[in-house]
Amino acid sequence: MAFAPTDETITIDQLTRDPYAVYRRLRAEAPVVTVRSIGRTLLTKAADTRAVKDNPALFSSNDPNTPMQRAFQAHTLMRKDGEDHMRERMAMTPTFSPANLKTLWIPAYEKLAGEYLDRLPRNETVDLFPALAGPLAARILAIILGIPGATDEEMQYWSQALIDGAGNFGYADEPFARVDACHAAMNAMVEARVPLLKAEPDQSALSVMINAADPIPFSQVLANLKIAIGGGINEPRDSLLTVLYGLLTNPDQLDEIKRTGNWSGAFEEGLRWVAPIQASSRCANEDTEIRGVDIRKGEIIMTVQASANHDEELFEDGHLYNALRPKTSHQSFGSGPHHCMGTHLARATIGKIILPMIFERFPDMQLVEPEKVVWWGFGFRGPLSLPVRLN
Amino acid sequence: MPKITFVSPDDGRTTVEAAGGDSVMQAALANGIEGIVAECGGAMMCATCHCYVDEDWLSRTGAASDEERAMLDFAASEVRPSSRLSCQIAITEELDGLTVHLPEAQI
Ligand code: HEM
Ligand code: FES
């Protein structure tokens, strides 16, 4: 057998601007390939990305050589395996229980969504990225995490700083300095809430974690909250903008969805079309083999779910948004033990609440110059703006 | 090898052979059964592998654990007393002939 071929031509810039063209070629020519510019082995076929994530015994989440630990000032649950991972994940899961979603978070979101839509100006161009999608995602998260005093701006600023730090593979100074300043602010915000939530516990993530019978160390309480801040704003934001773009550029589909009310289907298709988290890395625990290619122990594998979601074996014309697609099962929430904790929350809030609400309020919403919308990102991906006209 | 039959909501029946030790979810995925999505790959974190165990088999598959019940609350279709997460049913020789019914939706 042979090790993965090495591709010397693919650049990070290409993967940031137009990754789907690269992945389409890789799926056909080299579905297991080491890309020199990023120093990792990419998997681009759906069966492979899924098999790796579903086999945590062989493929660890602990990629030791990333800036993530430095950026988060912690070894977080996302990078842990087995029992250690489960303990930290379970500490937060009660917050996301079906009962809490139903009685607390969904009603809270519904009210917020109405308020944020009320604020949007009519009859002028408004960019829904900063005016709706970002702040709304930030607000509901601050409430669920138990830090409602954090402003929308703070939440978004912290989130971006954590993401930029975790993606700072060149180990430049600025992103780490910026995220360090955010840690000071986040820690202060959280610590101030602790006595209040000890006195009056609620179902927020902070409260549930500190009031547990056998609590995890406070360092990991902070780390869990920061993973949620870093990973709970831009995906809901980007997926909402993506679905809106998909529907507004395909008016026939939009009409049909309005008729059937299948907003959840439109949402799932948006997630499939442009996965907000495009790739997740895993580390091989032993020498092994994927699709006939040898993988060395310690090799870092990037499972590219963005590419899996366009795999020709599963989807016809996967590069097109099609809300009426018969089957939309995708890997955008990941798979295996690290499967996204926010899945049910995102499905309920975006798929069932905000999408129908927007089109009910603004049935004639128009995209302004759709050709100017820029899509951006390799690890995380979404549109950089979504200018619309509401009337 | 034990045989498992999946019955779709429109009464279509598919019988597959399953490797002992696999879960019913794994047998479904390995055989391209459409009605089982299993997003989390059997980690009991998604509830997209929901199925209804046929009445005749309920005593042999056993009941869902408390954690499984809690996760079933996330299922997209109605949860009934016969509801299970198929990733939590391990296939044994005893279950040869098992019939499970698939729900209308998993997401
Ligand atoms: C459309 C929205 C979302 C998408 C597409 C998404 C996607 C993902 C993906 C792909 C992973 C797995 C990463 C891996 O395997 O390494 C993940 C993990 C995670 N997500 Fe989400 N996410 C979304 C929303 C949210 C929200 C709203 C929250 C918080 C409230 C959240 C919290 C988490 C947490 C805590 C993890 C880590 C789980 C673990 O490591 O066990 N996500 N998400
Ligand atoms: S596969 Fe996710 S709960 Fe069974």
Side-chain angles (χ1 to χ4, degrees):
Chain A
M1 218 94 46
F3 292 114
T6 299
D7 187 298
E8 309 275 355
T9 62
I10 298 168
T11 62
I12 292 179
D13 187 57
Q14 266 179 324
L15 291 172
T16 305
R17 286 171 196 277
D18 188 15
Y20 288 105
V22 176
Y23 298 146
R24 179 200 294 248
R25 174 171 72 76
L26 292 180
R27 284 193 303 276
E29 294 172 6
V32 184
V33 65
T34 302
V35 175
R36 173 79 73 208
S37 60
I38 53 173
R40 287 181 166 38
T41 298
L42 264 57
L43 304 183
T44 48
K45 293 287 284 179
D48 300 343
T49 55
R50 172 118 197 213
V52 163
K53 275 181 277 203
D54 285 354
N55 190 349
L58 188 53
F59 297 101
S60 163
S61 283
N62 191 12
D63 178 347
N65 298 314
T66 75
M68 183 162 179
Q69 191 156 341
R70 168 67 187 81
F72 276 74
Q73 295 186 353
H75 187 29
T76 72
L77 85 162
M78 272 192 75
R79 293 272 167 252
K80 290 185 180 175
D81 298 317
E83 288 293 315
D84 295 347
H85 164 251
M86 279 311 265
R87 176 153 159 75
E88 289 179 15
R89 180 167 169 128
M90 287 303 162
M92 210 162 33
T93 38
T95 297
F96 296 90
S97 73
N100 283 338
L101 283 191
K102 223 175 288 171
T103 60
L104 297 172
W105 316 136
I106 291 174
Y109 183 89
E110 205 158 4
K111 185 159 167 288
L112 287 170
E115 288 166 13
Y116 278 69
L117 288 181
D118 283 343
R119 299 194 320 207
L120 295 176
R122 291 182 191 243
N123 299 316
E124 60 182 82
T125 299
V126 50
D127 181 355
L128 292 183
F129 182 120
L132 175 72
L136 181 56
R139 182 78 342 242
I140 188 68
L141 192 66
I143 291 170
I144 292 177
L145 295 185
I147 45 170
T151 66
D152 297 355
E153 290 71 28
E154 283 172 321
M155 290 291 288
Q156 294 177 87
Y157 186 74
W158 296 339
S159 181
Q160 197 57 48
L162 287 164
I163 289 170
D164 292 345
N168 183 18
F169 284 88
Y171 286 78
D173 292 335
E174 189 279 333
F176 289 146
R178 178 154 47 95
V179 75
D180 285 347
C182 292
H183 281 295
M186 286 186 281
N187 294 352
M189 172 73 69
V190 172
E191 278 155 16
R193 290 283 293 160
V194 168
L196 297 167
L197 289 171
K198 286 230 157 130
E200 276 183 60
D202 60 22
Q203 291 301 311
S204 67
L206 175 56
S207 179
V208 161
M209 288 193 282
I210 57 175
N211 291 309
D214 175 21
I216 58 174
F218 193 66
S219 63
Q220 299 317 106
V221 170
L222 286 171
N224 274 4
L225 293 176
K226 289 167 188 173
I227 284 291
I229 294 173
I233 295 181
N234 62 326
E235 302 87 341
R237 177 194 74 203
D238 294 346
S239 57
L240 174 58
L241 297 174
T242 297
V243 180
L244 290 175
Y245 181 94
L247 288 172
L248 292 170
T249 51
N250 292 281
D252 297 354
Q253 294 173 27
L254 176 56
D255 285 345
E256 184 62 10
I257 296 291
K258 282 181 178 167
R259 198 181 65 76
T260 61
N262 186 16
W263 299 101
S264 294
F267 177 51
E268 294 300 321
E269 170 65 359
L271 287 171
R272 181 204 67 79
W273 186 45
V274 183
I277 299 185
Q278 296 248 301
S280 307
S281 54
R282 297 291 187 267
C283 177
N285 276 337
E286 290 165 31
D287 288 348
T288 181
E289 184 192 305
I290 299 171
R291 210 172 270 272
V293 172
D294 284 332
I295 303 289
R296 298 175 193 82
K297 178 177 177 175
E299 195 166 333
I300 306 295
I301 316 285
M302 279 208 117
T303 65
V304 186
Q305 52 260 19
S307 173
N309 290 349
H310 286 212
D311 192 336
E312 292 73 10
E313 277 184 55
L314 296 180
F315 302 103
E316 199 175 315
D317 289 332
H319 62 295
L320 301 178
Y321 179 85
N322 178 5
L324 311 178
R325 201 177 276 286
K327 186 180 162 201
T328 49
S329 73
H330 56 71
Q331 298 181 17
S332 293
F333 288 116
S335 181
H338 293 269
H339 186 257
C340 176
M341 275 195 80
T343 304
H344 302 284
L345 177 70
R347 285 190 164 137
T349 54
I350 305 173
K352 296 212 162 69
I353 299 176
I354 188 81
L355 283 173
M357 206 187 253
I358 291 180
F359 285 102
E360 197 185 284
R361 293 252 181 136
F362 309 111
D364 301 320
M365 174 167 39
Q366 296 285 334
L367 265 184
V368 180
E369 302 187 289
E371 62 288 349
K372 288 202 180 148
V373 172
V374 175
W375 298 78
W376 189 260
F378 163 55
F380 296 90
R381 189 171 182 81
L384 294 182
S385 67
L386 198 77
V388 297
R389 233 183 131 76
L390 310 169
N391 42 26
Chain B
M1 292 210 289
K3 288 195 172 57
I4 312 281
T5 299
F6 295 90
V7 186
S8 64
D10 60 7
D11 270 339
R13 301 172 79 87
T14 313
T15 300
V16 307
E17 292 203 339
D22 270 8
S23 66
V24 171
M25 176 279 278
Q26 284 167 319
L29 290 199
N31 291 283
I33 300 290
E34 291 268 329
I36 296 288
V37 175
E39 275 186 349
C40 80
M44 207 163 58
M45 283 172 185
C46 71
T48 62
C49 65
H50 180 200
C51 71
Y52 306 108
V53 174
D54 194 88
E55 298 283 313
D56 297 343
W57 289 87
L58 276 173
S59 58
R60 272 168 285 183
T61 53
S65 65
D66 288 349
E67 284 139 341
E68 188 181 333
R69 282 262 147 236
M71 190 44 72
L72 270 167
D73 281 348
F74 279 122
S77 293
E78 179 200 356
V79 177
R80 305 177 194 152
S82 62
S83 284
R84 290 292 308 270
L85 293 173
S86 60
C87 67
Q88 301 301 310
I89 307 176
I91 296 169
T92 57
E93 285 301 331
E94 262 231 294
L95 291 184
D96 186 14
L98 173 69
T99 299
V100 300
H101 300 262
L102 299 167
E104 287 288 338
Q106 295 285 11
I107 288 173

